[in-house]
Amino acid sequence: MIRRQSLSVLTSFVGRRKPFLFPACYRLIKNRLFCAPAPKPLVAEAIDAVTRLELRVNRWPHTLGLSYIWLRDHCKCPDCYDNFTKQRKLDIQKVPLNIRPASTKTTKEGLEIKWPDGHKSEYTYKYLWQNTYEGWNASYKNPQRLWKAATFPSPQLTTVPLSDILDPKKDGLKRLISSIIVHGLGFISEVSPDVESTRAAVETISPVRTTFYGTVWSFEDNLERADTAYTNIYLGAHNDTTYFTESSRLQVFHCLKKAPQGGETLLVDGFSVAEEFSARHPEGYAFLSSAAIPSEYIGDGQHMATLDTVLKHNPATGCLQQIRYNIYDRAPLSSIPLEKIHEFYLHMRNIGKIVRNPAYEYWLQLEPGTVLIIDNWRLMHGRNAYSGPRIMGGCYISNDDFTSKARVLGIQIN
Ligand SMILES: C[N+](C)(C)CCCC[C@H](N)C(=O)O
Ligand SMILES: O=C(O)CCC(=O)C(=O)O
Ligand SMILES: [Fe+2]
């Protein structure tokens, strides 16, 4: 009873968010072409609007409303913030909820506030714009370019030679990470086809994620693990490690030995699939965004299991953040009540039809020497059946390690 209630509450919550923010994100991508602001002399004005401060800066597209308690909380003086550890020191219990400034001033550098107890705070305009909900959302540009088979990005956009990553004068790593963010994948060329060279190339991004598969793994048709990856059969497009509470963010493949026949790699842009699914089956999109389904891995002394939705969204922006589509690793369906079972199968079949539509399937043969890195939260992968010996190497990287590296390099990531 409780379960059923919570499911319907979630479904209606998602239903209210229609059209699932895809259209909004697209407008933002397009807007990028039109909003290169010409630098003007800075003019700023702050108006005390009783419940908040209205800050107008002529370079901004609109006035920014600032809450007084937010401003007090974000004071960056050494008493309130440790600039070395980048951690907060101010105890918000000591700030009255209805605090208001004694005086405010706009200068060339930024906003200055004097509080009733004599405390002074200063903020740059850029900081205020970038760190408030209204400012951040107004300037957020979704960097992703979704693709289908016909628009798969060219190797010039996605391939970076290892020598460009290792040479500090070239911005190889930045290009590689940008490609993974924009297209969902990137290639590193000039890597020797062995496990240790693969590790060294990938570790230019971050340490690899250790799982029960090991750190850097290689697999072939020998059932060394209880998983069909370790056979030579066809594997349809899927996301990996849906049975982990946090699926691995990046998945690396390096073909160490090519099969004499077959074994081609399949890639599908899961966000393109989700876009079409949302347009054709909005109720299915809402269902798979709210109904959690269980996944598992049993074998090799493990019983990994977790429960989560197929489509996951950024909790603040509502934009699609992750697709978890793996029909092989679904556990017994104990999380869906009887009256929703039919709907579940209907929606899974409908999204599955788009996943299998050849218009979305890009097939390629991986070659020894070129490492493929995919964003496993966005792209699905699969492989063709093969015969003869074949060895595939690779590893996983966690979301935190990948996104941290992107931020350190100054690359915008959600
Ligand atoms: C990549 N490696 C061969 C180590 C493991 C493959 C795991 C495949 C599993 N069914 C999943 O989707 O997670
Ligand atoms: O054999 C392949 O190319 C990929 C198999 C697979 O899906 C995996 O290892 O995750
Ligand atoms: Fe896989």
Side-chain angles (χ1 to χ4, degrees):
M1 192 59 199
I2 291 165
R3 273 172 155 193
R4 198 186 74 205
Q5 253 180 347
S6 63
L7 182 69
S8 64
V9 166
L10 276 166
T11 308
S12 63
F13 168 72
V14 173
R16 265 189 275 127
R17 285 198 317 217
K18 271 194 261 176
F20 312 112
L21 288 137
F22 260 123
C25 294
Y26 277 115
R27 271 199 299 279
L28 285 169
I29 293 176
K30 285 186 191 134
N31 281 351
R32 194 183 197 174
L33 302 170
F34 304 109
C35 60
K40 293 179 234 149
L42 189 134
V43 185
E45 187 188 14
I47 300 160
D48 184 347
V50 186
T51 55
R52 61 187 177 186
L53 193 74
E54 295 283 355
L55 183 62
R56 193 161 41 215
V57 176
N58 65 336
R59 289 175 188 176
W60 291 351
H62 57 74
T63 301
L64 191 62
L66 294 160
S67 141
Y68 292 127
I69 188 156
W70 185 101
L71 283 165
R72 183 64 193 86
D73 180 39
H74 288 75
C75 178
K76 286 283 182 294
C77 84
D79 290 335
C80 298
Y81 188 76
D82 185 327
N83 233 305
F84 175 72
T85 65
K86 309 284 184 213
Q87 288 173 296
R88 291 166 189 265
K89 286 164 82 176
L90 177 70
D91 178 0
I92 55 158
Q93 301 293 344
K94 299 201 174 114
V95 179
L97 252 184
N98 56 357
I99 188 167
R100 286 188 57 191
S103 66
T104 61
K105 197 167 126 196
T106 53
T107 70
K108 229 170 78 209
E109 280 71 44
L111 174 69
E112 283 178 20
I113 294 188
K114 222 187 245 155
W115 302 101
D117 63 358
H119 193 93
K120 265 173 71 179
S121 306
E122 293 177 7
Y123 320 81
T124 65
Y125 297 122
K126 192 173 162 195
Y127 176 85
L128 294 172
W129 186 259
Q130 288 183 340
N131 292 289
T132 48
Y133 180 93
E134 288 74 15
W136 191 88
N137 275 290
S139 52
Y140 172 75
K141 299 174 192 97
N142 185 338
Q144 292 163 342
R145 301 245 166 94
L146 308 193
W147 52 262
K148 294 183 190 178
T151 52
F152 187 79
S154 71
Q156 287 93 312
L157 294 173
T158 54
T159 308
V160 181
L162 182 59
S163 52
D164 279 16
I165 295 177
L166 299 177
D167 182 346
K169 290 194 291 292
K170 310 234 169 124
D171 56 355
L173 191 56
K174 219 169 156 173
R175 280 188 276 138
L176 177 73
I177 290 179
S178 300
S179 172
I180 298 169
I181 292 169
V182 174
H183 306 292
L185 72 142
F187 296 95
I188 311 177
S189 59
E190 299 176 358
V191 183
S192 303
D194 60 77
V195 160
E196 282 317 311
S197 305
T198 309
R199 180 200 301 277
V202 171
E203 279 182 349
T204 59
I205 302 177
S206 78
V208 305
R209 179 178 180 180
T210 303
T211 64
F212 62 88
Y213 296 111
T215 51
V216 179
W217 26 256
S218 74
F219 58 97
E220 46 194 296
D221 173 23
N222 60 8
L223 275 179
E224 187 187 294
R225 306 258 170 198
D227 194 280
T228 43
Y230 295 78
T231 67
N232 61 6
I233 65 168
Y234 165 87
L235 289 176
H238 63 273
N239 301 107
D240 257 37
T241 65
T242 49
Y243 39 79
F244 290 159
T245 307
E246 188 189 281
S247 299
S248 296
R249 179 72 196 255
L250 299 186
Q251 181 157 5
V252 174
F253 287 117
H254 190 185
C255 183
L256 305 179
K257 188 185 188 139
K258 214 164 90 179
Q261 214 167 26
E264 296 87 352
T265 294
L266 166 65
L267 298 177
V268 171
D269 187 342
F271 282 19
S272 268
V273 168
E275 184 185 35
E276 176 159 348
F277 184 55
S278 145
R280 278 178 182 247
H281 305 286
E283 60 312 317
Y285 191 98
F287 190 98
L288 296 184
S289 299
S290 59
I293 61 162
S295 304
E296 67 184 2
Y297 180 101
I298 303 175
D300 312 304
Q302 310 291 336
H303 187 165
M304 300 282 168
T306 199
L307 187 64
D308 212 336
T309 56
V310 173
L311 300 163
K312 294 185 74 169
H313 298 83
N314 178 306
T317 63
C319 283
L320 183 64
Q321 185 165 292
Q322 185 186 358
I323 181 160
R324 302 170 63 267
Y325 180 88
N326 188 320
I327 54 174
Y328 306 112
D329 293 336
R330 290 185 302 111
L333 193 57
S334 54
S335 58
I336 306 285
L338 175 63
E339 56 273 35
K340 296 270 178 194
I341 293 277
H342 183 87
E343 251 190 276
F344 168 78
Y345 285 101
L346 172 73
H347 300 317
M348 279 302 275
R349 285 160 59 111
N350 281 337
I351 194 172
K353 277 181 203 146
I354 305 172
V355 173
R356 281 179 204 189
N357 180 343
Y360 286 86
E361 291 189 336
Y362 186 79
W363 286 93
L364 72 163
Q365 180 66 262
L366 293 180
E367 299 290 338
T370 300
V371 170
L372 165 65
I373 305 172
I374 59 175
D375 180 351
N376 180 55
W377 284 20
R378 169 175 160 190
L379 261 56
M380 300 173 195
H381 65 275
R383 66 135 194 259
N384 210 351
Y386 64 90
S387 56
R390 173 187 191 255
I391 304 175
M392 188 64 85
C395 58
Y396 295 119
I397 286 182
S398 78
N399 178 56
D400 289 331
D401 288 325
F402 172 60
T403 57
S404 165
K405 190 60 166 203
R407 290 182 203 104
V408 166
L409 293 176
I411 308 170
Q412 185 217 315
I413 180 136
N414 320 346

